Amino acid sequence: MSELVPGELAPGTGADAAALPLVHEPLPTEDLIIGTPTSATHALATIGEVEVGLWEMTPGTASDTEVDEVFVVLTGRARIEFVDPPLPAIEVGPGSVVRLAEGQRTAWTVTETLRKLYVA
């Protein structure tokens, strides 16, 4: 498997999703709740209108408005609170699979840098 993927994966290639280097940026100030977490996104492939990629967030708490997606946590731990519509919070860690819906308002409390593989 390749160690660095500068863009999307080419057909017939692979990468270590847990070790792929990602470039972090600060989250928008209006999304910050606790701390100064950063995040990174790396699109791996676009299949039709569906994007597959990696997303990572460092420890802290931030709000988000979700898109339609399913994700699998590769590394790290977090608590996801569902603000609107209100649903029970969930704890996620390696192997967790979660479905999010377009427009859901959430608050993510990351306790260990969280990396997920998403399909959106």
Side-chain angles (χ1 to χ4, degrees), residues 19-86:
L20 189 69
L22 300 177
V23 178
H24 280 250
E25 295 185 4
L27 291 169
T29 305
E30 63 271 15
D31 293 343
L32 297 177
I33 298 172
I34 297 172
T36 54
T38 62
S39 70
T41 303
H42 183 99
L44 296 171
T46 302
I47 304 164
E49 294 185 22
V50 175
E51 181 176 281
V52 178
L54 298 173
W55 177 86
E56 186 171 81
M57 181 175 152
T58 60
T61 303
S63 64
D64 196 16
T65 301
E66 303 300 339
V67 299
D68 271 332
E69 83 174 75
V70 172
F71 69 84
V72 179
V73 175
L74 301 173
T75 59
R77 300 206 171 274
R79 175 180 175 85
I80 305 168
E81 295 178 54
F82 296 92
V83 178
D84 186 22

